[in-house]
Amino acid sequence: MKKFALMIVVAIAGITQGVAQSLGAKAGYNYASLSGKTVQESDVKALSGFYGGLFLTLPLGDVLSIQPELLYSREGAKWKYTAAGVSSEKQFKFDYLNVPVMAQVNLGRLTLEAGPQFGFLVGKPEVSYVIGNQTSSTKVEKDAYASFDFAVGAGLALHLTDHLFLNARYTHSLTNAFDKNNTSLRNANISRDNDFKNSVLSFGLGVKF
C-alpha cells in the first residue's frame, strides 16, 4: 500500500508536469477521536492533537486542481471507564505520516476539496493511564495497531491573501485502526468488537511559497 500511494503522487506529478505549481506548508490543530462500539461502562472522547507538513497544488485549469500533501499527524482518542464508582481514563496517541490527495474546486477566495488519504503509522503508539490525579504513560508495540490507514476527507479553505489561507477538513477512516486479531481492547474491557475508525476534524493555517 505504501508503494501504491507513492505511485499515485508520482503519477499526478507526471501528468501535470509543465503546468504552474504551488509548493506550500500547512500546520494546525486536530480534534481526533475513534468511532466504534464500546462496552457499556466505557465511553470514547476526543483528543487534542496537531498536524504539519507540505503540499503541492497542481492546477488542471482555472477552476480545478489536485493537491497531494505529506503531513505528520497526531491522532487518537480518550477512553473513560467507570466501574464500581471509580473512574479512570486511557489515552491512545497515534502518529501517522499521511498522504492526502485532494481534488479542489476554486471559487475565488473559497476552495472546496475532497479526496482519499493514505496513512502510515510511525513510531510506537503511546498509551496514557489517568487514575485520580495520577498519570502514567508507556510506549506500546505496534502489533496491536494497523500499520496502514485508508481514509476519505473533505474540507474548505479561505484564502486571506494570494499566499496565506485558513483550512478546515474532516477525515474519516474506512479501515480499522487496530489489528482485528489482537485482543488487547477486549482484555482491557473497552470493546468486544475491536473495530474502530479514526475520525479527525482539523483546523489550520497554510502558506503558498
Side-chain angles (χ1 to χ4, degrees):
M1 295 303 295
K2 292 182 181 180
K3 292 181 179 179
F4 177 69
L6 181 60
M7 287 172 59
I8 290 177
V9 175
V10 171
I12 292 172
I15 293 172
T16 57
Q17 188 175 11
V19 303
Q21 303 176 2
S22 298
L23 179 66
K26 60 192 304 189
Y29 169 79
N30 282 343
Y31 186 75
S33 188
L34 289 163
S35 62
K37 187 177 181 180
T38 66
V39 297
Q40 185 176 358
E41 299 85 358
S42 184
D43 191 20
V44 178
K45 302 292 184 180
L47 181 75
S48 294
F50 60 89
Y51 73 92
L54 303 173
F55 64 86
L56 183 64
T57 304
L58 308 167
L60 301 179
D62 294 334
V63 177
L64 299 178
S65 60
I66 298 293
Q67 183 168 290
E69 304 174 357
L70 183 63
L71 305 176
Y72 180 88
S73 182
R74 166 61 63 91
E75 302 172 18
K78 299 177 183 177
W79 258 287
K80 291 194 173 181
Y81 181 79
T82 302
V86 179
S87 297
S88 61
E89 180 181 287
K90 181 180 290 187
Q91 298 182 5
F92 290 84
K93 298 177 182 178
F94 309 143
D95 293 327
Y96 287 98
L97 188 61
N98 289 330
V99 184
V101 182
M102 294 287 114
Q104 298 183 325
V105 178
N106 306 302
L107 306 172
R109 292 293 181 184
L110 185 67
T111 296
L112 305 179
E113 61 182 17
Q117 175 177 280
F118 310 91
F120 308 97
L121 188 66
V122 294
K124 293 183 177 181
E126 179 181 333
V127 178
S128 298
Y129 303 87
V130 182
I131 301 177
N133 296 323
Q134 295 185 348
T135 302
S136 61
S137 298
T138 182
K139 297 285 187 180
V140 297
E141 294 299 327
K142 294 169 63 174
D143 293 346
Y145 306 88
S147 60
F148 176 74
D149 181 69
F150 178 71
V152 292
L156 55 84
L158 177 62
H159 298 269
L160 305 177
T161 69
D162 290 340
H163 298 282
L164 194 65
F165 64 89
L166 298 174
N167 182 229
R169 181 183 297 170
Y170 175 73
T171 307
H172 192 88
S173 296
L174 301 181
T175 54
N176 190 0
F178 297 88
D179 181 356
K180 269 286 195 179
N181 297 321
N182 191 280
T183 60
S184 58
L185 294 185
R186 287 190 288 272
N187 294 340
N189 203 25
I190 291 175
S191 171
R192 296 183 180 88
D193 295 333
N194 197 28
D195 189 4
F196 289 89
K197 310 294 194 299
N198 284 303
S199 173
V200 183
L201 182 61
S202 301
F203 303 95
L205 182 67
V207 57
K208 291 186 177 181
F209 304 130

